[in-house]
Amino acid sequence: MVFRKPPDGGWGWVIVAVSFFTQFLCYGSPLAVGVLYLEWLDAFGEGKGKTAWVGSLANGIGLLASPVCSICVSSFGARPVAIFSGFMVAGGLMMSSFAPNIYFLYVSYGIVVGLGCGLLYTATVTITCQYFDKHRGLALGLISTGSSVGLFIYAALQRELIELYGLDGCLLIVGALSLNILACGSLMRPLESSSSPPPEKTCVDKVPDQYFVYHEKEKTVEENISILEKGYIDEKCVNNVPDCKQDSILSKNVLSSISINEKDTYKKKVVEQTNFCKQLAKRKWQLYLTYWKETMVLFKNKVFSALFVAILLFDIGGFPPSLLMEDVARSANISEDDYYMPLISIIGIMTTVGKLILGILADFKWVNTLYLYVTTLLMTGVALFAIPFAKSYLTLAMLSGILGFLTGNWSIFPYVTTKTVGIEKLTHAYGILMFFAGLGNSLGPPIVGWFYDWTQEYDTAFYFSGFCVLLGGFLLLLAALPCWNACTKQSSKLPPNTYSYKVASNA
């Protein structure tokens, strides 16, 4: 389908509003799952590592399944996918209120809610990109803040609901609130297709239609011939019996000749079908080989290889604080009377601020986005190393704000990817990087939880997290140093599909 030119306004701003609220409603509970994490620890009595899988799956499964989500949105459209995913998120949250054990939560909250969030994220981004061209960056920036605002509000909301109605009542109410996604999804009106004629099908695509028409015509002709022959023979049999016998013999000869023709026609059909299947398989195989060739070309780029390692290590080490910070405060014996605001809420609001400020900085010509991203990684590693030394609510709140602000580097990550591989390879490269980001999200909290189960303290766990993030940042910094400029000049002689990042240029 060919869409008309994006309007860059009008109903597009309604799309931005409903996409903002969609991400607010679907990501609010999974991102603020740290509040629920404490209750699940007390309710089921499982280890911290095993319990942390629930929140990590809810946040990582959507990224891991991003290729499937993209196929669903491309096949069915943003509106049907958003409505269906709204039922998934609401149903998963409500089912979680009846969870008899932690394994049930893996499915209901981790997989069902996580997959629903992944589908909704893809749907909101896709429909927004269809409606905006000139102001696409602004529109995507606005809808991306919906998840951060949801984290800020849902952290305090879920805490109050647990005190008033208990854990089960909280999940039921939050699930009921998620049903508002259905109203948001119904407003995602697809952009009207242009009046231009559809592109002509290729020869391989035409084969099934031609075969179907040919088969129907042949079938109709054969039916007409058989009806005429039968009527003619019946008429002769009534008027003259000898003629009937003679005509029946003739008809048998005709039918025998027709059966021979049918065999030839059947052979032709088999040959046509076989050729079509061979051409289709050959085309799919060529696409498969091309995909892997392009993937290998991407990993020949030193900066991209370092970037994929950095995003994996960053999510392994940088994501756990948003899930475990409340338990860190409880492990430090901080009194609830000292709580002015949930630590997760501080992370949420500062993530919003970080996305906006870092996004604005990335637009300045004198700012190198790759070095800016590396700086956020190194500062995140240092902040993670400082968590074991924080023994009061004030210091934990300050560290939560710093970590939340630095986590806003997600807003500049597409800029870095584009400058690294080029706009032509952005979709392919970004899909690979998001897969590894989802893998890091899924593994990070359980690893930190297992460290606590082994050592009975969080200090070693956050030293490990800080080491992972610092390692990824240093690897990316080494790959981006100007000493690789010589390699960049040599890469200009490579085929046009090979891209490299010129760190000396302004981002």
Side-chain angles (χ1 to χ4, degrees):
M1 181 180 292
V2 180
F3 294 102
R4 65 182 177 87
K5 185 179 178 181
D8 276 303
W11 191 259
W13 296 115
V14 178
I15 297 295
V16 170
V18 298
S19 297
F20 172 88
F21 283 109
T22 297
Q23 292 201 17
F24 169 84
L25 293 167
C26 74
Y27 277 107
S29 181
L31 289 178
V33 72
V35 177
L36 304 176
Y37 172 76
L38 298 177
E39 302 299 323
W40 287 330
L41 284 174
D42 297 335
F44 300 114
E46 300 286 353
K48 295 181 186 294
K50 185 181 290 187
T51 308
W53 271 111
V54 181
S56 62
L57 284 174
N59 287 278
I61 199 70
L63 293 174
L64 289 172
S66 55
V68 178
C69 298
S70 299
I71 292 173
C72 292
V73 175
S74 300
S75 302
F76 304 105
R79 177 190 279 174
V81 169
I83 294 174
F84 175 77
S85 303
F87 280 113
M88 286 186 65
V89 173
L93 289 170
M94 292 180 180
M95 287 169 56
S96 299
S97 65
F98 302 100
N101 51 54
I102 199 69
Y103 302 103
F104 188 91
L105 285 173
Y106 289 164
V107 178
S108 62
Y109 197 97
I111 296 177
V112 177
V113 175
L115 187 57
C117 291
L119 287 167
L120 286 168
Y121 176 80
T122 306
T124 53
V125 170
T126 301
I127 193 71
T128 303
C129 290
Q130 290 175 1
Y131 270 86
F132 287 90
D133 184 15
K134 296 180 181 179
H135 304 294
R136 183 175 295 170
L138 174 62
L140 291 175
L142 289 174
I143 69 171
S144 67
T145 58
S147 58
S148 301
V149 176
L151 169 59
F152 171 70
I153 294 179
Y154 268 74
L157 176 64
Q158 290 184 148
R159 193 171 178 181
E160 290 296 326
L161 290 176
I162 289 172
E163 292 180 358
L164 294 174
Y165 305 105
L167 177 61
D168 298 342
C170 171
L171 289 170
L172 284 173
I173 294 173
V174 171
L177 288 175
S178 299
L179 289 173
N180 289 286
I181 297 174
L182 306 181
C184 295
S186 64
L187 293 174
M188 293 181 185
R189 187 173 65 194
L191 194 63
E192 297 176 359
S193 58
S194 63
S195 57
S196 59
E200 187 179 357
K201 293 183 178 179
T202 61
C203 295
V204 177
D205 296 331
K206 288 180 180 179
V207 170
D209 297 336
Q210 292 175 350
Y211 172 76
F212 179 75
V213 173
Y214 168 76
H215 177 70
E216 290 297 327
K217 288 182 178 180
E218 184 182 35
K219 184 178 179 181
T220 305
V221 171
E222 291 176 354
E223 288 178 352
N224 292 337
I225 291 174
S226 62
I227 292 171
L228 290 173
E229 287 178 351
K230 184 178 179 181
Y232 175 74
I233 292 172
D234 292 342
E235 184 179 358
K236 296 291 284 184
C237 288
V238 172
N239 296 330
N240 194 345
V241 175
D243 293 341
C244 176
K245 293 180 180 179
Q246 185 178 0
D247 290 339
S248 64
I249 295 171
L250 291 172
S251 65
K252 288 180 180 178
N253 293 332
V254 172
L255 291 175
S256 64
S257 65
I258 291 175
S259 64
I260 295 174
N261 292 331
E262 285 179 352
K263 290 180 181 178
D264 294 336
T265 304
Y266 175 74
K267 290 180 180 179
K268 291 180 181 179
K269 293 176 184 177
V270 172
V271 171
E272 287 180 0
Q273 241 178 346
T274 304
N275 290 333
F276 168 72
C277 292
K278 288 181 179 179
Q279 293 177 15
L280 183 62
K282 184 177 180 181
R283 185 174 64 176
K284 294 297 182 182
W285 179 250
Q286 289 295 332
L287 291 174
Y288 181 77
L289 290 178
T290 302
Y291 176 84
W292 283 108
K293 287 179 180 178
E294 291 178 353
T295 303
M296 294 304 296
V297 169
L298 286 175
F299 280 99
K300 289 179 180 178
N301 188 330
K302 294 180 176 63
V303 178
F304 178 81
S305 298
L307 191 62
F308 119 81
V309 175
I311 191 66
L312 175 63
L313 294 177
F314 172 74
D315 279 275
I316 289 177
F319 176 66
S322 63
L323 175 61
L324 304 174
M325 192 60 79
E326 297 293 331
D327 192 45
V328 171
R330 186 168 71 172
S331 300
N333 297 320
I334 296 176
S335 175
E336 293 185 359
D337 296 334
D338 297 333
Y339 266 71
Y340 301 102
M341 182 185 297
L343 297 175
I344 300 179
S345 296
I346 297 175
I347 293 176
I349 195 63
M350 290 305 296
T351 301
T352 305
V353 176
K355 285 180 178 179
L356 294 175
I357 293 179
L358 292 175
I360 293 171
L361 287 176
D363 287 333
F364 288 108
K365 295 182 178 180
W366 51 269
V367 175
N368 189 306
T369 51
L370 181 59
Y371 288 151
L372 179 62
Y373 185 75
V374 170
T375 303
T376 61
L377 294 183
L378 298 178
M379 292 179 66
T380 300
V382 174
L384 289 170
F385 271 115
I387 289 179
F389 300 98
K391 302 299 180 182
S392 65
Y393 173 81
L394 181 60
T395 53
L396 283 176
M398 292 175 60
L399 288 174
S400 297
I402 294 172
L403 288 171
F405 178 86
L406 296 173
T407 306
N409 62 6
W410 276 100
S411 63
I412 63 174
F413 189 71
Y415 286 79
V416 176
T417 308
T418 304
K419 292 294 183 181
T420 303
V421 301
I423 190 66
E424 294 85 356
K425 300 288 184 180
L426 176 61
T427 303
H428 187 186
Y430 200 71
I432 296 173
L433 294 173
M434 286 300 99
F435 175 83
F436 285 103
L439 187 62
N441 274 347
S442 300
L443 295 177
I447 290 175
V448 173
W450 289 331
F451 268 110
Y452 184 91
D453 294 335
W454 294 334
T455 62
Q456 295 302 311
E457 44 87 16
Y458 274 116
D459 295 354
T460 307
F462 282 103
Y463 289 147
F464 170 79
S465 298
F467 173 77
C468 287
V469 178
L470 283 176
L471 177 61
F474 278 120
L475 288 176
L476 186 56
L477 178 61
L478 289 175
L481 286 176
C483 63
W484 297 111
N485 283 342
C487 299
T488 303
K489 293 178 181 178
Q490 293 178 0
S491 66
S492 61
K493 300 179 182 179
L494 295 175
N497 287 335
T498 305
Y499 298 92
S500 60
Y501 191 100
K502 295 182 180 180
V503 295
S505 62
N506 289 329

